[in-house]
Amino acid sequence: MEWTSYLPPLLEGAWVTVQLAVYSTVLGAVFAFAAGIGKLSHNRLISGISVVYIEVFRGTSLLVQLFWLYFALPVAGQIIGIDLRLPPVVAGILALALNIGAYGAEVVRGAIQAVSRSQREAARALNFTPRQTLRWILIPQALPEMMPTFGNLAIQNLKDTALVSLISLGDLAFRAEQIRNFTQDSTTIYTIVLFMYFGMALVLTAMMKLLERSVGRWRTAGT
Amino acid sequence: MSDPIIKFDKVVKRFGNFTVLNELDFEVGTGEKVTIIGPSGSGKSTVLRILMTLENINEGVVYVGGEPLWHERKNGALIPASEAHLRKMREQLGMVFQQFNLFPHMTVRRNLTEAPVRVLGLSKSEARNRADELLEMVGLTDQADKFPNQLSGGQQQRVGIARALAMRPKVMLFDEPTSALDPELVGEVLNVIRRLATEHDLTMLLVTHEMQFARQVSDRVCFFDKGRIVEQGVPDQLFTNPREERTREFLKAVLESEA
């Protein structure tokens, strides 16, 4: 079999991988901000929930989280009489997002805390509320600090999408395994897959660089 | 002196074991320009930071416009102030920081419009007009669209002054406004403050090491040492004929280093 004949199914799988990566990264960013800001809250309940979320999802394996959402949650739901069966796509995106969100939350928290105290004092002197200070003074200055680490997390996440093939999602890794079972041509297939992942990572890196530049324009102004 | 707009009544402030303000009694009249001088660690900046509600006090009462700042009246007794009370009190005060503390991610104009729009609820165009007037006053009309890091220190501090004025405070607090500046940039900032002092009935409280300037703009100069006022008076008297030995020593040391 020609190696080019592997391409259509692999590209089909790559498209699933791209979608998984994009949706889970965006959702993960939402979780990261919610938990990162939540951890800084003076409300003990909110900060408590954030800490538990962050520690649980950083402290357990992504594979176990994925299996738990896909296999264990429906069973648990059955016991209490709620239908908690998730389609593989939803389980996959949710597991990836919750996982990246837990790591991202620490990045968000750290970057917000790193904004200098004098900025908070200036905001207080101008009578901004704590919430306004966070939204208009602290987060805009913290964003450029977060971006390089977010970029790393996004790439990590892209590669982690390969795990969802284990709950029968037809992503790139899943298609590769299918074709390999059929043709036994491991070298060719996995070489192609290697380059495909690498290509996607390159594109992702470039996109994160652009994003980094746009949120940090004020830093480089005039220099 | 007219009714004091600021009054410190036996105020004690401690940082750990260190007493910064030691039962301080201090008043500033409405419209008065008062300069605080003194060695570092004497509690001068702390007075301003307490007024701007950046530092709480340990004992005593601070009054602004006759109302307790760090306390609320409840059933005739004074209880610690809520955030809502502090917010209301803060409307009367504006502060200029030693390190400018401009918002680096906003243009100069946005630095001036952000708080008026979000805190005072001004419309964008009202805030913009107010900002442009103030920028003209501090001579920075042509820098409105730049970011703070594109300006010199002197320009940044003039933006800092305009930003505080945009909130229309009754009392302006200047915390060593020229201490972080290169010597050749000090003059432009002092000129702006001098004009404010002569052309407006704002109450001004300044902490500075610029003795010549203090002498020109102040109605009264207070010499602080060890958390208390050692001596105060009109500038000519205090600078040329201080009563206290400690004041004399301090002035001698400072004026010698300037010469």
Side-chain angles (χ1 to χ4, degrees):
Chain A
M1 236 169 126
E2 264 305 297
W3 69 273
T4 48
S5 66
Y6 302 151
L7 286 179
L10 285 180
L11 283 171
E12 207 176 298
W15 177 235
V16 174
T17 293
V18 167
Q19 286 175 306
L20 280 169
V22 169
Y23 289 135
S24 61
T25 302
V26 170
L27 188 61
V30 173
F31 289 147
F33 273 90
I37 293 168
K39 193 173 170 181
L40 292 170
S41 171
H42 293 296
N43 183 322
R44 296 278 282 280
L45 183 67
I46 294 174
S47 69
I49 290 171
S50 305
V51 169
V52 169
Y53 159 64
I54 292 167
E55 294 310 325
V56 166
F57 280 85
R58 281 199 313 175
T60 56
S61 114
L62 172 59
L63 190 63
V64 178
Q65 292 161 17
L66 183 68
F67 282 180
W68 197 88
L69 280 177
Y70 189 65
F71 298 116
L73 192 62
V75 179
Q78 227 168 20
I79 294 168
I80 54 171
I82 309 170
D83 185 5
L84 291 173
R85 281 173 301 174
L86 302 172
V89 188
V90 175
I93 290 174
L94 205 56
L96 289 165
L98 284 166
N99 190 263
I100 193 187
Y103 284 96
E106 286 295 283
V107 179
V108 170
R109 181 197 56 79
I112 289 174
Q113 281 183 320
V115 177
S116 81
R117 189 187 142 102
S118 63
Q119 288 291 308
R120 290 162 214 267
E121 292 189 345
R124 193 166 158 88
L126 291 165
N127 228 347
F128 285 103
T129 63
R131 188 171 293 204
Q132 287 172 327
T133 304
L134 182 70
R135 172 65 187 85
W136 303 106
I137 310 299
L138 302 181
I139 289 177
Q141 293 185 58
L143 268 178
E145 292 296 330
M146 303 173 194
M147 290 316 293
T149 321
F150 272 177
N152 283 338
L153 285 177
I155 287 171
Q156 182 68 50
N157 192 47
L158 169 70
K159 294 182 293 184
D160 284 347
T161 56
L163 284 178
V164 302
S165 61
L166 296 170
I167 57 168
S168 73
L169 258 171
D171 76 322
L172 181 54
F174 184 83
R175 296 281 173 227
E177 186 61 19
Q178 265 186 333
I179 304 168
R180 195 192 66 91
N181 281 337
F182 188 64
T183 64
Q184 299 302 315
D185 189 1
S186 301
T187 314
T188 316
I189 294 164
Y190 282 121
T191 306
I192 297 173
V193 168
L194 206 71
F195 277 107
M196 281 183 161
Y197 272 114
F198 185 59
M200 288 189 272
L202 279 182
V203 173
L204 192 59
T205 307
M207 278 163 49
M208 292 306 283
K209 273 270 176 300
L210 279 177
L211 196 60
E212 188 178 337
R213 213 170 295 167
S214 82
V215 296
R217 257 172 318 188
W218 51 274
R219 292 175 137 194
T220 48
T223 54
Chain B
M1 199 165 75
S2 54
D3 268 356
I5 190 164
I6 292 169
K7 184 174 173 193
F8 279 62
D9 185 10
K10 299 232 176 320
V11 172
V12 177
K13 173 67 188 176
R14 291 184 212 95
F15 290 119
N17 288 328
F18 180 64
T19 304
V20 192
L21 299 182
N22 186 7
E23 300 202 348
L24 175 71
D25 288 319
F26 175 57
E27 289 186 4
V28 179
T30 306
E32 202 183 6
K33 312 333 178 196
V34 176
T35 304
I36 300 175
I37 60 171
S40 55
S42 61
K44 337 181 271 299
S45 288
T46 307
V47 168
L48 301 193
R49 293 175 56 78
I50 286 171
L51 284 167
M52 198 62 258
T53 71
L54 303 177
E55 302 285 358
N56 204 337
I57 56 176
N58 296 105
E59 288 168 35
V61 186
V62 176
Y63 296 90
V64 174
E67 282 283 303
L69 177 68
W70 279 104
H71 300 84
E72 274 176 271
R73 291 202 170 94
K74 196 179 179 186
N75 305 329
L78 289 179
I79 58 165
S82 63
E83 181 59 31
H85 175 76
L86 291 175
R87 261 180 77 71
K88 203 171 142 291
M89 296 301 288
R90 240 181 254 135
E91 288 171 5
Q92 306 174 61
L93 301 146
M95 185 155 176
V96 174
F97 297 90
Q98 184 176 355
Q99 301 290 341
F100 330 133
N101 298 10
L102 298 182
F103 303 128
H105 58 299
M106 297 179 187
T107 62
V108 166
R109 186 183 281 112
R110 184 100 189 272
N111 262 278
L112 268 63
T113 56
E114 192 74 1
V117 168
R118 300 202 188 281
V119 178
L120 302 180
L122 258 61
S123 74
K124 287 226 167 92
S125 66
E126 282 174 306
R128 203 188 148 100
N129 288 341
R130 193 182 276 198
D132 288 349
E133 271 171 35
L134 286 164
L135 285 176
E136 197 184 327
M137 192 197 87
V138 299
L140 291 172
T141 302
D142 50 344
Q143 312 290 328
D145 297 314
K146 290 193 176 163
F147 285 96
N149 67 359
Q150 295 172 277
L151 305 184
S152 73
Q155 290 173 322
Q156 289 190 48
Q157 190 59 297
R158 286 188 275 156
V159 176
I161 295 169
R163 183 179 68 173
L165 288 172
M167 299 299 280
R168 303 262 163 97
K170 293 187 187 128
V171 181
M172 278 286 279
L173 310 167
F174 295 86
D175 187 12
E176 304 196 24
T178 58
S179 295
L181 297 177
D182 291 337
E184 78 269 21
L185 302 175
V186 169
E188 62 188 68
V189 172
L190 293 186
N191 281 335
V192 168
I193 301 175
R194 190 178 291 123
R195 273 190 49 205
L196 262 182
T198 51
E199 293 172 15
H200 295 261
D201 49 9
L202 264 175
T203 305
M204 288 172 47
L205 190 50
L206 271 119
V207 170
T208 184
H209 294 291
E210 301 285 333
M211 296 301 154
Q212 193 55 40
F213 175 73
R215 197 168 175 163
Q216 292 167 356
V217 300
S218 330
D219 300 317
R220 180 159 52 104
V221 179
C222 299
F223 173 62
F224 266 62
D225 194 25
K226 301 201 174 77
R228 283 196 153 158
I229 298 176
V230 174
E231 180 172 0
Q232 55 181 322
V234 292
D236 280 340
Q237 178 264 316
L238 191 123
F239 283 115
T240 53
N241 192 17
R243 282 186 298 264
E244 301 289 330
E245 181 55 33
R246 184 72 193 88
T247 317
R248 219 166 297 158
E249 279 170 31
F250 173 77
L251 288 174
K252 189 162 168 264
V254 173
L255 296 175
E256 261 170 19
S257 74
E258 273 180 12

